[in-house]
Amino acid sequence: MANIEITLIEGDGIGPEVTKSAREVLNFLVENIIWHDVVAGGKALDATGELIPSQVLESAEKTKLILKGPIATPIGKGFRSVNVYLRKHFDLYANVRPSKSFKGVSTRYSDVNLVIFRENTEDLYAGIEKRVDDDTRHSIKVITRKGSERIIRAAFDYARAQNRKKVTLAHKANILKETDGLFLEIGRRISLSYPEIEFEEIIIDNLCMQLVMDPTQFDVFVTMNLYGDILSDLCAGLVGGLGLTASANIGNGYAMFEPVHGSAPDIAGMNIANPTAMLLSAAMLLKHVGEAEKGELLEKAIEYVLDSPQNHTRDLGGIMSTTAFTKLVIEALASEVKRVC
Ligand code: NAI
């Protein structure tokens, strides 16, 4: 079988701890991975004077596959987001973010099963900001037909392929009549090509309320960049928090997998981060490269470990360390692999 070459960016904060976990688990599960370690973000800036040294882009050009830990972005000043740069540079237009309840993690809700399709290259993340004068700043929201069509189609294609029942398009077209109006108009038109899938449109603020009242009424979401970003954390909260939610950034030919969470500076270096989000991102990577069975095996092993509250990390109310949790996942994989063979 051909080697799987992965560009690995460990990232900042808890990034080194959770990517180490993912590397160990993937190395256990798949024999033929070739890792290309590169550094981006604050660490790279300190070492080389560049946020994204050319090796990062060259490596990803070659492998077309990135596994990435979170990268910190200074708030309100300093450098622009490396995450946003990578998504735009490789035109990774579809940010796919599942949030699913785990039997072993108790929250107010028990059967959440949501997938967000977040447009990943446009909107207020286009970076078009301007100081008009000392007291006035402008930020431009960019929504294009091409950008909207491809993310909405991606959501419907996914719903069709996965036998999902409904696609909900979240917007604020009552206020943003041009930008969100275009996105909504395209959604309405594309939905007609998928008659077997229910299409629902909803104003984003109402959606937030509805989600908290009863998340089980929703299925697949499609929305613009900023709403998708906020919605992702909301959905993570419904299933037990940011330690549990993974994501894929998919473009034409390139893909990047990373947890939804950030660098969590408050717990960095303490060996208490929950590696589940990173491990589930690795499972999404495996499915993307045609190793669906191994991806599912990894998901099952994580579910199995999470089934016992004594295995939970601190974010879930437990005391398990990152490294001990990783060991348990590998043990669960080992017994599952033995059982299958
Ligand atoms: P955050 O996601 O880093 O942390 C929010 C809260 O969740 C914190 O209390 C943290 O301890 C907790 N948390 C997050 N991941 C966890 C895990 N795996 N296990 C246990 N607890 C976890 O969000 P915050 O604080 O807003 O951002 C910190 C930095 O991360 C910022 O510089 C931000 O720009 C960056 N960031 C990077 C992202 C990326 O690389 N894709 C995504 C989001 C934020």
Side-chain angles (χ1 to χ4, degrees):
M1 202 197 134
N3 291 327
I4 302 175
E5 301 206 25
I6 303 177
T7 296
L8 182 77
I9 305 174
E10 65 171 22
D12 302 313
I14 59 171
E17 297 159 76
V18 292
T19 50
K20 182 167 179 277
S21 166
R23 189 202 295 254
E24 281 172 19
V25 169
L26 284 178
N27 279 341
F28 178 82
L29 200 53
V30 186
E31 279 164 19
N32 51 331
I33 296 183
I34 298 177
W35 297 97
H36 299 258
D37 285 86
V38 290
V39 183
K43 254 183 245 159
L45 192 66
D46 293 343
T48 68
E50 282 179 296
L51 265 184
I52 308 181
S54 55
Q55 294 93 307
V56 175
L57 302 180
E58 282 161 19
S59 171
E61 287 290 348
K62 187 165 161 263
T63 62
K64 302 190 173 352
L65 193 61
I66 306 174
L67 185 63
K68 184 184 139 312
I71 294 181
T73 309
I75 294 173
K77 58 183 165 47
F79 59 76
R80 280 191 61 199
S81 165
V82 171
N83 308 308
V84 172
Y85 179 88
L86 288 172
R87 292 168 189 161
K88 281 193 81 165
H89 182 82
F90 291 106
D91 200 20
L92 305 170
Y93 62 88
N95 193 341
V96 187
R97 299 182 147 186
S99 284
K100 197 166 175 219
S101 298
F102 290 92
K103 257 202 303 87
V105 178
S106 83
T107 69
R108 278 171 217 195
Y109 315 95
S110 54
D111 41 9
V112 177
N113 187 356
L114 303 165
V115 182
I116 299 169
F117 277 72
R118 163 189 174 194
E119 202 292 320
N120 221 9
T121 60
E122 305 191 330
D123 200 346
L124 286 161
Y125 293 67
I128 311 172
E129 288 200 297
K130 158 167 123 182
R131 290 185 179 204
V132 178
D133 58 41
D134 267 358
D135 302 319
T136 313
R137 313 287 156 99
H138 287 178
S139 224
I140 308 268
K141 174 162 179 157
V142 178
I143 299 295
T144 69
R145 185 172 296 282
K146 177 184 165 201
S148 305
E149 277 181 355
R150 60 188 185 173
I151 188 69
I152 294 167
R153 278 199 193 286
F156 273 101
D157 286 343
Y158 172 90
R160 179 173 274 172
Q162 300 295 319
N163 227 352
R164 311 280 297 218
K165 302 284 170 273
K166 182 161 84 170
V167 172
T168 301
L169 182 150
H171 67 89
K172 188 81 187 172
N174 49 333
I175 305 298
L176 300 167
K177 296 184 193 289
E178 293 301 328
T179 47
D180 289 27
L182 177 64
F183 193 81
L184 177 57
E185 172 204 311
I186 293 168
R188 284 176 180 162
R189 180 174 51 75
I190 289 177
S191 71
L192 300 176
S193 314
Y194 299 82
E196 77 280 21
I197 298 162
E198 185 189 340
F199 174 64
E200 174 183 53
E201 46 187 72
I202 190 164
I203 294 175
I204 185 73
D205 33 339
N206 178 24
L207 170 58
C208 292
M209 186 271 289
Q210 298 279 354
L211 258 175
V212 174
M213 299 287 285
D214 177 14
T216 62
Q217 61 185 303
F218 297 105
D219 191 348
V220 175
F221 293 114
V222 64
T223 192
M224 290 153 273
N225 207 339
L226 179 60
Y227 307 144
D229 195 357
I230 297 167
L231 213 51
S232 309
D233 281 32
L234 198 167
C235 289
L238 300 174
V239 299
L242 282 167
L244 297 171
T245 44
S247 80
N249 301 267
I250 310 285
N252 294 321
Y254 295 91
M256 178 166 82
F257 298 83
E258 59 180 339
V260 171
H261 64 71
S263 58
D266 51 334
I267 57 165
M270 296 164 74
N271 195 23
I272 58 171
N274 187 347
T276 299
M278 190 77 222
L279 294 175
L280 289 173
S281 305
M284 290 178 92
L285 178 150
L286 288 176
K287 289 180 180 178
H288 179 78
V289 299
E291 292 281 0
E293 248 175 61
K294 288 187 173 160
E296 276 159 29
L297 205 62
L298 176 51
E299 285 170 356
K300 277 207 192 100
I302 294 166
E303 274 168 34
Y304 173 79
V305 173
L306 285 173
D307 267 349
S308 309
Q310 74 265 22
N311 297 339
H312 289 182
T313 43
R314 202 180 70 170
D315 53 314
L316 302 178
I319 53 161
M320 187 63 63
S321 67
T322 314
T323 44
F325 185 93
T326 306
K327 202 161 159 256
L328 288 174
V329 171
I330 292 175
E331 280 166 15
L333 281 171
S335 52
E336 185 59 19
V337 170
K338 230 184 268 160
R339 198 181 63 76
V340 175
C341 297

